[in-house]
Amino acid sequence: MGATALVSSEFAPRTTYLNSASTGLLPARAVSAMHRGALSVAEGRPEDMFADVEAARASFARLLGVAPERVSAGASVAVYSGLVAASLPVGAEVLTAEDDFSSTVNPFHVRGDLKVRTVPLERIAESVRPGTELVAVSAVQSADGRVVDLPALRAAVRAHGARLYLDASQGTGWLDLAAHMADVDYLASVAFKWLTCPRGGAFFVVPEEAAGFGGVPPLFAGWVAGERPWDSCYGPVTELARSARRFDESPSLFAYAGARQSLAVIEELGVAAIRAHDLALADRFRAGLAELGQEPVPAPGSPIVSVPGLGARQPELSAAGIEVSDRAGNLRAAFHLYNTEADVDALLGALRQGGRG
C-alpha cells in the first residue's frame, strides 16, 4: 500500500486538524485495537495487552536506533525527568533552556540542591562549560517549534564531559533522532503527539546496563520492574529487570494496545518521508504568512509554526472547523502526516478573511 493510501485508510479527521503538537490523531487500527482490548475485559476474556507493551517498546527502539533493552515504558515525561534529577549529586550544575516545557525542567528545580542554570535556547551549546553535569532540554520547543542545534550540542557535551537529557516529545515521529543517539544519555518522550498514540504511553531511553543505566535509580520500581514480573507481585522485588524495564511504570494497557498499532503506522511510513511531508506543509504556511504580512517565530526545519499576536484567533478558527493552539498569545499550527496542502490553504484563507474583517 502506498503512503497516500495508507494515510487515507487510517485517518479520517472531520476538521482541518493542525494541532498535532498538542495531540496527534489516532489511526483506525489503534482505535480498533483499543476497542477489542476493552471489549475483551468487558466480556471476561482479557487479551494479553502486556504483549502490546513489549511490541511498542521494540517499535520505539527501532525508530530511535537503540536496543529495546535501553527503553523503559511508562506514562509521563515528568516522572522520567524526576529519575534523571534523582541521579545527580548534590550541587551538580544542570543547564536548561529558557521557557522550556515544565515537565522537562521542573524536576531539577524542585530538588533544591542542584545548580540549575537557564540560558536562551540558541545559546545552550555554547553555554556548556567545565563543571556542567547535565544538559536537560527539549529537542523541539513546545511553545514555538524551535529545534535545538543537536550537532553543536552533542559536540559541546562531549567536549566538557557532560551528560545529555533530551525531551523528544515534540520530535519523535518526524525528527531523525537516531542519527544523534550516540551522544544522548537519556531521552524521554510522550507518544500521544507526533507518534499518533493514545494518551497514557511514554518512553524513556537510558544507557546500557554495562554503563549502570547512567546512575538512574529505580525509585518507583514495582512488580513490573522485576526480572520476572509475575514472580514479583508480593513483598520486596528480589531481582530487578536487567534491562531498562526496571524503570517501567505499571502500564496503561489500553493505551499500549493502541500504541503498538500507531507506532507500526509510523514505521511503515518512515520518519524520513514523514519529515519531508511535514516540513513541506510548514514551509507552504510560512510562505503564505509572508504574503499576509505576518512573521512567525523563526524555527527553520520544524513542522510547528508559531505566529505572534494571533493566538486570540484560536476560538474563532475552532468554530470554523480549523484546530490550532493558542500558546502565550501565539497561534501555533502543527503539520503532520495526515495533513494536506488544502489544510494549509484553509488556515491561510481563514486568517486572510479575518484580517479583512
Side-chain angles (χ1 to χ4, degrees):
M1 183 183 297
T4 301
L6 174 58
V7 170
S8 63
S9 71
E10 293 289 350
F11 301 96
R14 298 184 180 182
T15 64
T16 300
Y17 190 81
L18 301 171
N19 204 20
S20 295
S22 292
T23 303
L25 297 182
L26 292 176
R29 68 178 75 173
V31 176
S32 295
M34 294 173 74
H35 180 261
R36 289 195 304 271
L39 191 61
S40 75
V41 175
E43 294 176 345
R45 293 188 290 267
E47 291 186 355
D48 179 14
M49 287 174 277
F50 285 97
D52 295 322
V53 178
E54 296 312 311
R57 187 196 316 272
S59 184
F60 184 83
R62 287 191 296 271
L63 287 170
L64 265 68
V66 301
E69 290 77 19
R70 291 183 60 191
V71 179
S72 172
S76 167
V77 163
V79 165
Y80 290 131
S81 296
L83 287 186
V84 176
S87 74
L88 300 175
V90 172
E93 179 180 282
V94 181
L95 181 64
T96 65
E98 288 180 352
D99 300 320
D100 208 338
F101 198 72
S102 296
S103 295
T104 312
V105 299
N106 196 56
F108 299 98
H109 287 272
V110 298
R111 259 198 57 171
D113 58 359
L114 301 175
K115 299 175 183 176
V116 183
R117 189 160 56 95
T118 302
V119 299
L121 181 70
E122 292 75 16
R123 289 177 43 207
I124 196 160
E126 68 186 58
S127 299
V128 184
R129 63 190 183 187
T132 300
E133 181 79 19
L134 179 80
V135 180
V137 65
S138 293
V140 182
Q141 291 294 298
S142 172
D144 51 33
R146 288 175 298 151
V147 182
V148 70
D149 186 344
L150 279 172
L153 185 55
R154 290 174 59 195
V157 296
R158 283 199 309 268
H160 294 288
R163 289 183 284 172
L164 178 57
Y165 169 49
L166 285 184
D167 177 352
S169 298
Q170 295 290 1
T172 47
W174 69 267
L175 184 62
D176 180 13
L177 290 161
H180 303 286
M181 290 304 296
D183 295 309
V184 175
D185 297 277
Y186 319 103
L187 180 145
S189 177
V190 296
F192 65 85
K193 298 179 185 290
W194 305 90
L195 291 173
T196 71
C197 296
R199 268 186 188 267
F203 298 97
F204 181 45
V205 180
V206 295
E208 296 176 344
E209 180 185 18
F213 303 108
V216 174
L219 292 179
F220 56 82
W223 73 278
V224 295
E227 177 64 19
R228 294 173 297 279
W230 294 105
D231 294 332
S232 302
C233 294
Y234 305 104
V237 176
T238 57
E239 183 183 10
L240 290 174
R242 293 188 288 271
S243 69
R245 195 167 50 74
R246 64 172 51 197
F247 306 112
D248 276 17
E249 297 179 76
S250 187
S252 176
L253 291 177
F254 296 133
Y256 275 93
R260 175 181 189 170
Q261 304 300 325
S262 296
L263 290 165
V265 172
I266 300 298
E267 286 199 85
E268 287 173 36
L269 291 170
V271 171
I274 294 171
R275 174 184 173 84
H277 175 84
D278 292 4
L279 296 188
L281 295 181
D283 286 345
R284 183 182 183 90
F285 183 52
R286 291 186 180 96
L289 287 171
E291 294 178 2
L292 295 178
Q294 297 287 344
E295 184 175 350
V297 174
S302 177
I304 300 173
V305 183
S306 186
V307 192
L310 295 186
R313 301 284 304 275
Q314 184 270 327
E316 69 178 77
L317 290 169
S318 182
I322 301 173
E323 297 299 333
V324 293
S325 290
D326 176 4
R327 290 293 182 272
N330 299 341
L331 181 148
R332 187 186 69 180
F335 303 93
H336 203 18
L337 57 94
Y338 31 69
N339 294 127
T340 65
E341 291 184 349
D343 293 336
V344 178
D345 296 343
L347 176 55
L348 288 169
L351 293 175
R352 185 178 298 109
Q353 187 65 34
R356 289 172 182 167

